[in-house]
Every structure is written in structure tokens, then in C-alpha cells.
Amino acid sequence: MTVTEAALTIAPLPRLAARATAVGGSPVRDILAVTARPEVINFAGGLPAPGLFDREGIAAAYRAVLDELPERALQYSTTEGEPALRTALAARTTARGLATDADELIVTTGSQQALSLLATALIEPGDTVLVENPCYLAALQVFAFAGARIVPVPCDASGIDPSALDALVAREQPKLLYTVPTFQNPTGRTLPAERRAAVAEVAARRGLWLIEDDPYGELRFEGERVPWIASYPGAEDRTVLLGSFSKVMAPGMRLGWLRAPAALRRACAVAKQAADLHTPTVNQLAAARYLADSDLDAHVARVAAVYGERRDAMLAGLADALPAGSTWNRPEGGMFLWARLPDGYDATALLPEVVRHDVAYVPGAPFHATAPDPSTLRLCFVTQTPDEIAEGLRRLRRGLNS
């Protein structure tokens, strides 16, 4: 034995950061892993229908970029994003009622990254963040990871109650409100115009940042479009609008963006430099080329029409699938509907038996920041065909009855 070997001791490694162990993983991702078998009809995921991707148009855009601009497409880019894509995004945002310049935008690696950048730029450990009740699960993860104190805002079938929001802001002194006001995840509900105006007024009067997340807004199959909160008086200098191509083009491209006031936008750019330098150049240029060569609005209209048929198929079978006394909503767009089982039912406890019948949903409890409602569940209606939805609901009935 050498001297070196005799002197060798094995010291324990330093512990992980507390936030890395305090925040759990995504129950949705866990369910998707458990239900990955091809025979499972999965209402759990928030996955766009892969058969509806414009594969030819997207492939043509990538080919054109790599043929014509290979040195640029394969090179580093600016942190804020490719000018061609930001110009196209600014034009689309302006056309939808919110005047926007390309310099007001940062391209992000999915809108999920935009949330992380905003949490880095805005939240100190212990800051209070307001969220909808229930709330998009990954947003709860981001804010918890940043060390925020998360407080839910009272909501009803139409979304945030502005009067309750006003009282809560006065009492809690939060830094920001996070909301998905159009076809919300997980409930599918849409905040009416008059409430959007009231939320903007509360934010202006009380001094509050607004994060308005809009990944689903273009997927409307009935009713009239409601303007963004960012377009209402009082919201102009305090609202961050998030957008994404994940639900309307392709989630694998991982392209999102944020529109923010100048000082916050600069802080997000610095945070992005530290995170990933920039979103992949080739994906940005391909998206810009797709917008130039193809009609994204026409594609989205076709997708929304199919999704509307699939929503109707799910609505048609829910009364037979769920126990008597259950309730559910009828979203005008998006990807999800929200159901509540009768008192005494626990959607989390029932899920393993349901999965044994080769069908899955997401229990509603994880979407609540506090006081989870065990009887609730989220159903995604866009990934399967109407026939598959009907079969999935028959399996759901058998699983719940067993």
C-alpha cells in the first residue's frame, strides 16, 4: 500500500441547493411517463395533435434556410433574437391590436423559458406572487423555485374576481400577478373583457406587475376574440405578454417570446445570456421563413376546426363517462376542459385504477397553490381523434366504476 493510498479518505459531497430538493417534479410529466404505452388513450398531456403539424411547410422552411443561409443559420445569434423573426412577431402582435416594435420583443426557448427569465429578473426569495386558482402547473414550479410565496386569487367559472384581486393586493403587497386569461390551463376558461379591464385598473392603481401568458389564444373555435389585458388602459407600462409557437406551429422547435417594458426587458436579456446565450438560430430563421412563405393563420384555422370537433366529441361522452353529479365546462377554444367529480371522489386516488383500463387524465389537485380540490381533473381533448376520444371515455367510465 502506498502512502497516497493510505492517506486517501472519501469526503461527502456538498449538498444540493435547498430549492433543488424543495420543489417537486411535474405530476403531468410523471403521468406521461407512466402512460407512455401505445395502447393508453392519454387525456393527460397538453400535447398538440402531431398529425396536424404542417410537416411539409416546416421542412421546406428549414431546407430553404440551410440552403440559402447556412453560415448564419448554424452560427451564434443575438440574445434578443433574430431580427427577421422579431419583425414578423411584432407585425403579428400589432395586427392583433397591440402596437409592437421588434425591439420590444425577446425570443425565448419556449414561453416556459420566458417565465424563468421573469422569475430571475423580478422575484427575490420571500416575494409574494399571485396566481389564478387553479394555475398552470409549470408556472407554480418556476415561482416556487425562485423562492416566492405563492398566493392564489379567488376565481369563478369566468376566471379572476377583480374585487377579490383588489383586496388581496392591498393586503398581501405582491410583486406580480401571473395569469393565462384565454383558454386557461388547466380549466379552459376565458376571462371576459370587462374583467380584463378591471384587472388592468387594479394593477395600475395598486402598483403590480402583470404576466399575461397566451399560448392558446389563437386556438379559438367559437365566439369572439377578447383583447389582451396588455392592451387595456393602465396595463401598458406593467404587463409582460408571453407568446409561443408550441401550440400553433410545433412544440419541438421550442420557440416563444416575451413583450415587456424596456427596463424589465433588459433584465430578462441579461438573465437569458446567463441561461443559454440565445435560442437556436436555425429554429428562429426557419420560423421566420415559414411565416414569410406559408399562411400560418390559415393553418391555425384548420387546426382549430379539428380541435373544435374533438372538444364536441369529448363533451358528447362525458355524461356517460363521469359519475352522476359531476360537472364540467365548455371551453370556446384551447386544449383543455375541467371537470369536478361529486363530493367524496378523489381524482388522484382513482387514477391508478383508471390507468389500468388504459386511459389517463391529470388530477386537478397539483394545479392548486394551496387547498387543493381533490375532486377535480383536467382532460386534454386535442391529441386523439373523435373515435379515440369515445373509446377513451368508455374506458374512463369502466375505470371510475371499478
Side-chain angles (χ1 to χ4, degrees):
M1 179 179 294
T2 67
V3 174
T4 301
E5 289 173 334
L8 180 65
T9 59
I10 304 299
L13 289 168
R15 281 183 275 182
L16 297 176
R19 62 179 174 272
T21 54
V23 180
S26 167
V28 177
R29 293 283 166 178
D30 294 341
I31 291 169
L32 290 177
V34 171
T35 60
R37 293 176 286 117
E39 64 270 23
V40 175
I41 295 177
N42 204 327
F43 300 141
L47 305 179
L52 298 179
F53 295 152
D54 184 4
R55 291 171 288 184
E56 292 183 4
I58 293 172
Y62 274 98
R63 283 195 299 270
V65 165
L66 289 170
D67 286 345
E68 300 169 17
L69 303 168
E71 296 87 356
R72 183 174 166 193
L74 301 176
Q75 186 57 276
Y76 287 113
S77 183
T78 61
T79 297
E80 291 79 6
E82 278 294 317
L85 181 56
R86 286 192 290 148
T87 297
L89 291 171
R92 288 179 64 82
T93 306
T94 299
R96 284 158 176 74
L98 185 61
T100 300
D101 185 84
D103 289 339
E104 295 179 88
L105 302 173
I106 296 177
V107 177
T108 58
T109 308
S111 61
Q112 186 65 34
Q113 185 190 51
L115 270 178
S116 295
L117 299 179
L118 289 164
T120 300
L122 285 174
I123 298 173
E124 303 280 4
D127 281 347
T128 298
V129 169
L130 301 184
V131 299
E132 296 163 312
N133 191 35
C135 175
Y136 171 49
L137 180 59
L140 294 177
Q141 286 183 298
V142 167
F143 298 139
F145 212 75
R149 173 175 169 263
I150 303 172
V151 177
V153 179
C155 298
D156 58 22
S158 295
I160 290 171
D161 178 340
S163 297
L165 171 66
D166 190 26
L168 200 60
V169 173
R171 184 175 75 245
E172 302 291 344
Q173 297 296 300
K175 183 164 281 186
L176 65 88
L177 165 67
Y178 171 77
T179 175
V180 184
T182 306
F183 314 138
Q184 194 241 13
N185 183 358
T187 65
R189 66 194 177 201
T190 294
L191 192 68
E194 62 274 13
R195 293 199 185 189
R196 296 182 186 221
V199 168
E201 189 277 332
V202 170
R205 178 165 45 82
R206 296 288 188 185
L208 182 69
W209 284 105
L210 298 176
I211 300 178
E212 180 177 12
D213 199 353
D214 186 35
Y216 311 104
E218 295 190 61
L219 297 174
R220 176 175 289 278
F221 16 96
E222 64 180 54
E224 297 297 321
R225 180 182 178 274
V226 188
W228 287 305
I229 296 174
S231 66
Y232 285 87
E236 302 94 333
D237 65 343
R238 65 191 62 248
T239 303
V240 185
L241 178 64
L242 308 186
S244 175
F245 281 140
S246 290
K247 307 305 186 293
V248 298
M249 191 178 290
M253 296 175 77
R254 303 309 302 132
L255 288 174
W257 57 91
L258 65 84
R259 178 191 185 276
L264 179 54
R265 189 171 66 250
R266 286 192 294 271
C268 287
V270 173
K272 184 169 173 61
Q273 288 169 1
D276 67 355
L277 298 182
H278 66 87
T279 296
T281 313
V282 65
N283 293 355
Q284 294 189 60
L285 290 176
R289 186 60 177 258
Y290 183 87
L291 291 173
D293 293 351
S294 301
D295 189 340
L296 179 60
D297 291 333
H299 170 70
V300 171
R302 289 190 293 270
V303 171
V306 174
Y307 285 1
E309 294 172 354
R310 296 179 179 189
R311 177 210 59 181
D312 292 345
M314 182 164 281
L315 289 173
L318 276 179
D320 289 334
L322 300 182
S326 298
T327 59
W328 54 87
N329 63 342
R330 187 180 189 277
E332 294 182 333
M335 299 172 60
F336 309 107
L337 63 79
W338 187 246
R340 177 172 281 102
L341 305 177
D343 290 344
Y345 282 80
D346 186 326
T348 301
L350 290 166
L351 182 60
E353 182 61 33
V354 168
V355 170
R356 279 192 282 273
H357 286 76
D358 292 333
V359 66
Y361 57 76
V362 179
F367 295 96
H368 294 80
T370 59
D373 184 344
S375 67
T376 55
L377 56 96
R378 188 193 76 178
L379 295 165
C380 177
F381 52 77
V382 305
T383 313
Q384 284 81 27
T385 67
D387 287 344
E388 290 168 339
I389 289 171
E391 172 59 25
L393 292 177
R394 285 190 287 269
R395 297 179 188 182
L396 179 60
R397 180 185 66 235
R398 292 194 294 269
L400 292 173
N401 288 341
S402 66

